[in-house]
Amino acid sequence: MTGTTTAEVLAELAELEDPRARQVNEKHGDDHGVNLGKLRALAKRLKTQQELALELWETGDTAAKLLALLICRPKAFGRDDLDRMVREARTPKVHDWLVNYVVKKNPHAEELRVAWSADPDPVVASAGWALTTERVAKKPEGLDLAGLLDVIEAEMKTAPDRLQWAMNHCLAQIGIEHAAHRARAIDIGERLEVLKDYPTPPNCTSPFAPVWIAEMVRRQDPGPH
């Protein structure tokens, strides 16, 4: 599949368009109708093609952007490229994949985490918080966890949706991973009540931080059998 043109890929994406998939995706703010399993299968066939990925991203089409993120080389992007892309990734799925599949694997991730966390655009700031949550879990050395809890305590309740969700994930992660901060994390969650009434399907863990923390800690230490 090397040498495939952008036009050919866009034509294939158009063929994969499914009105029912679009309906479901649009409920989540994602304006595309391509089944993600089929999108991943197409990416597997195309393999890594950085030039094609860049061209697909520039089309502005959501499905094309998602495909671009699957076939790009994450380490090939400069800091400014990623900063521009996070501002162009306006739908939740594109934003999520950009942060998780590309930025986290890029050498500029830490620098961007710091810059984005302080960005006035709440969606960009949510990317910074997502990177912070990753560090809380995998590389907490050097992070001021108490300081992060201070910010969450002061700002999460009134933060816009996606930023609030990212801060809440960070709150839960601190409580799950760091026993010394667990009681405070649970206390903040209980007082702010963010996502307390979020509809959670059976067999899924509630995103309400105190419940989420308790459940994950229980799984890590199931106790005597």
Side-chain angles (χ1 to χ4, degrees), residues 173-206:
Q173 203 74 49
I174 292 172
I176 292 161
E177 304 284 346
H178 302 279
H181 297 277
R182 187 168 295 149
R184 186 179 173 207
I186 291 169
D187 177 59
I188 290 169
E190 282 172 348
R191 278 186 293 108
L192 299 187
E193 298 190 334
V194 166
L195 300 173
K196 187 175 183 179
D197 301 318
Y198 191 82
T200 307
N203 304 323
C204 290
T205 304
S206 165

Side-chain angles (χ1 to χ4, degrees), residues 46-85:
L46 289 167
K47 299 194 169 61
T48 303
Q49 296 191 51
Q50 181 70 3
E51 286 307 311
L52 180 60
L54 295 175
E55 288 176 18
L56 288 170
W57 181 271
E58 293 305 327
T59 64
D61 175 77
T62 295
K65 282 183 164 178
L66 289 169
L67 183 60
L69 295 170
L70 294 175
I71 66 167
C72 72
R73 274 201 305 279
K75 291 184 170 71
F77 293 101
R79 181 199 183 285
D80 293 348
D81 297 326
L82 293 174
D83 187 66
R84 175 178 59 85
M85 288 166 78

Side-chain angles (χ1 to χ4, degrees), residues 1 19 28 42-43 45 51 67 69 74 85 87 89 91 100 107 125 132-134 139 161 169 173 177-178 195 222:
M1 288 290 283
H28 303 292
L42 174 56
R45 225 169 65 229
E51 286 307 311
L67 183 60
L69 295 170
M85 288 166 78
R87 293 166 202 284
T91 66
N100 285 300
T132 298
T133 302
E134 167 96 343
K139 209 170 76 176
D161 281 1
H169 189 177
Q173 203 74 49
E177 304 284 346
H178 302 279
L195 300 173

Side-chain angles (χ1 to χ4, degrees), residues 11-202:
E12 187 155 355
L13 286 172
E15 280 172 31
L16 292 173
E17 175 76 26
D18 173 356
R20 278 170 312 192
R22 179 174 283 273
Q23 213 176 356
V24 172
N25 291 332
E26 283 184 344
K27 280 184 187 157
H28 303 292
D30 292 309
D31 56 348
H32 74 94
V34 179
N35 172 288
L36 295 180
K38 290 179 178 173
L39 192 76
R40 288 180 190 280
L42 174 56
K44 208 169 171 181
R45 225 169 65 229
L46 289 167
K47 299 194 169 61
T48 303
Q49 296 191 51
Q50 181 70 3
E51 286 307 311
L52 180 60
L54 295 175
E55 288 176 18
L56 288 170
W57 181 271
E58 293 305 327
T59 64
D61 175 77
T62 295
K65 282 183 164 178
L66 289 169
L67 183 60
L69 295 170
L70 294 175
I71 66 167
C72 72
R73 274 201 305 279
K75 291 184 170 71
F77 293 101
R79 181 199 183 285
D80 293 348
D81 297 326
L82 293 174
D83 187 66
R84 175 178 59 85
M85 288 166 78
V86 84
R87 293 166 202 284
E88 292 170 351
R90 299 321 289 176
T91 66
K93 187 64 77 181
V94 173
H95 176 93
D96 188 43
W97 282 19
L98 174 64
V99 172
N100 285 300
Y101 297 168
V102 181
V103 181
K104 284 181 182 178
K105 298 173 184 172
N106 184 277
H108 300 287
E110 177 58 18
E111 195 186 335
L112 289 168
R113 179 188 77 78
V114 175
W116 287 346
S117 296
D119 199 276
D121 180 330
V123 176
V124 175
S126 76
W129 279 92
L131 294 170
T132 298
T133 302
E134 167 96 343
R135 268 203 62 189
V136 166
K138 294 188 176 168
K139 209 170 76 176
E141 301 75 30
L143 279 182
D144 175 7
L145 297 175
L148 288 171
L149 289 174
D150 291 343
V151 176
I152 291 167
E153 188 169 19
E155 297 177 15
M156 180 169 79
K157 183 83 174 172
T158 55
D161 281 1
R162 281 159 70 183
L163 177 55
Q164 184 183 68
W165 190 271
M167 282 184 164
N168 183 68
H169 189 177
C170 191
L171 173 67
Q173 203 74 49
I174 292 172
I176 292 161
E177 304 284 346
H178 302 279
H181 297 277
R182 187 168 295 149
R184 186 179 173 207
I186 291 169
D187 177 59
I188 290 169
E190 282 172 348
R191 278 186 293 108
L192 299 187
E193 298 190 334
V194 166
L195 300 173
K196 187 175 183 179
D197 301 318
Y198 191 82
T200 307

